[in-house]
Amino acid sequence: MEDSKVIIALDFKDQEATKAFLDKFDEPLFVKVGMELFYGEGPDIIKMIKARGHKIFLDLKLHDIPHTVKQAMKNLARLDCDIVNVHASGSIAMMKAAVEGLEEGKVGDKRPLCIAVTCLTSLDQDVLDHELGIHEPLEDVVVKWANNAKMAGLDGVVCSPLESAPIHEKVGKDFITVTPGIRLAGNNVNDQKRVTTPYKARSLTSNYIVVGRSITAADDPVAAYHEVSRQFDKGEE
Ligand code: C5P
């Protein structure tokens, strides 16, 4: 069977808690390491997870001038993760520089995939209009920024499952969509405003889903992961 396209968000406070979670599994996983864990533990956390044979999406959302992002990506490339990311709002020039840095720093002949955060789901139309001065419908901004990412040579975007089909249609079928906001039926929605099930995300054309608490906070995380994978990887309702 193909590798799972379910990415588990390791939103844990430290290496110890992360290990305790990973110890429950005896299969290769695809996991996401975000700012909290990476800034707390440094590159060692990546080395520990890779030594266990898991794939990694390093979610640091870089956003700076192109030169700085290029140099930072050169360093991140050496960690040999599978996916890294930047903010699309940093400009096409910045996103191009990110890819150049990854090419220069890559281990072996394959660079990590680079994807762009379009509009954070914590932003809404009101913030765009009144704080950021962007007077366009949010959905149009997301598609425009996804297009910019494609033009810069990126491989895909992080977006809502609901934005996945319009992005595939307008930006390209092979442009990857990585979508958080996933819950198993009956789970607590927590702070996510709009959620979909793994099965629904697949039918909405998500290429990868990012799942945190539906797995990490489950009574039986291994069983929850298998249920998410059954729905998303195998397409069983
Ligand atoms: O626990 P939950 O499944 O809501 O976790 C989702 C993960 O995806 C978290 O790590 C969160 O930071 C991340 N994320 C998100 N929405 C975005 C981008 C990232 O929920 N727009």
Side-chain angles (χ1 to χ4, degrees), residues 9 11 32 61 120-121 158 180-183 192 210-213:
D11 295 324
K32 179 171 91 68
K61 303 185 177 70
L120 289 171
T121 41
V158 182
I182 307 295
R183 289 290 178 274
Q192 298 280 18
V210 174
V211 187
R213 287 160 289 186

Side-chain angles (χ1 to χ4, degrees), residues 26 62 67 87 97 102 112 128 143 155 164 174 188 191 221 227:
D26 58 6
L62 273 61
H67 178 72
H87 273 284
L102 291 173
L128 285 194
V143 171
D155 305 288
S164 183
D174 55 355
N188 189 337
D191 48 358
E227 171 58 16

Side-chain angles (χ1 to χ4, degrees), residues 49 52 95 167 179:
I49 295 169
R52 290 172 175 236
M95 290 190 276
I167 287 172
T179 66

Side-chain angles (χ1 to χ4, degrees), residues 24 29 56 88 173 200 213:
K24 299 180 200 295
L29 304 172
I56 304 177
K173 289 260 171 294
K200 176 93 171 137
R213 287 160 289 186

